[in-house]
Amino acid sequence: MSAQDCIFCKIGGGAIPSAMVFQNDDVFAFLDIGPIREGHTLVIPKQHYEKMEDCPPQTLAAIGAVLGNIAKAVVEATGADGYNVLCNRGRAAGQLVQHVHFHIIPRTEGDGIFHRWPAGKYKPGQAEEILRRIREKL
Ligand code: 5GP
Ligand code: ZN
């Protein structure tokens, strides 16, 4: 998808209205239109990149520089106890908008969001094998 057809480019550039939470030269944050819960916020680079790994380091640095502060504000404003920062990358992971974004989801004890965390266990040798394959790709 090109930047011209991208809804988040239009939101970040102000062409489509949104409930803006924060912006600076590089970063735009706004309320998710379909909140998992009140205060659910999206943080995006103003430049169009589809995936996190497409972003140049300075873009990720610009996001990283404000993400924690925005998340803290969201938590304090909503009276939540914590938050999740989530980046859905790829269709299998639930990425519906092809412009990299970070969800800030305020959390309260027992709220039932992400209720299932299907933790597994490595078989003998399995961790070493996947470790080797991941390291090879870096
Ligand atoms: P994804 O599934 O791609 O990680 O998340 C995309 C998010 O963008 C969804 O939670 C969805 O509600 C939100 N979203 C999609 N279109 C719009 C829009 O036009 N405005 C706002 N504020 N949020 C949007
Ligand atoms: Zn875009």
Side-chain angles (χ1 to χ4, degrees):
M1 181 202 284
S2 73
Q4 279 97 323
D5 313 319
C6 172
I7 185 130
F8 282 6
C9 281
K10 292 184 177 132
I11 288 174
I16 289 183
S18 67
M20 194 264 288
V21 169
F22 170 87
Q23 68 170 320
N24 62 20
D25 286 348
D26 306 308
V27 180
F28 195 89
F30 56 105
L31 293 183
D32 193 300
I33 205 166
I36 286 182
R37 62 162 285 184
E38 184 187 33
H40 179 173
T41 295
L42 300 173
V43 181
I44 63 169
K46 285 189 173 176
Q47 282 260 358
H48 181 84
Y49 300 104
E50 184 177 332
K51 311 178 202 100
M52 194 166 19
E53 64 266 36
D54 299 334
C55 296
Q58 59 270 27
T59 300
L60 292 175
I63 292 169
V66 298
L67 196 55
N69 260 351
I70 299 170
K72 182 169 179 276
V74 167
V75 163
E76 289 177 2
T78 55
D81 304 319
Y83 61 82
N84 292 108
V85 169
L86 180 67
C87 177
N88 296 331
R89 189 283 206 192
R91 204 204 298 227
Q95 183 176 9
L96 298 175
V97 178
Q98 310 307 315
H99 178 132
V100 64
H101 51 278
F102 296 86
H103 296 258
I104 298 171
I105 302 162
R107 299 294 309 276
T108 306
E109 204 74 51
D111 61 17
I113 300 169
F114 308 129
H115 176 59
R116 198 166 158 268
W117 189 272
K121 220 171 183 186
Y122 285 111
K123 296 189 186 96
Q126 198 183 5
E128 290 76 4
E129 175 57 18
I130 193 61
L131 197 57
R132 187 185 63 72
R133 280 157 49 189
I134 294 168
R135 285 178 175 167
E136 242 174 46
K137 297 288 180 193
L138 286 170

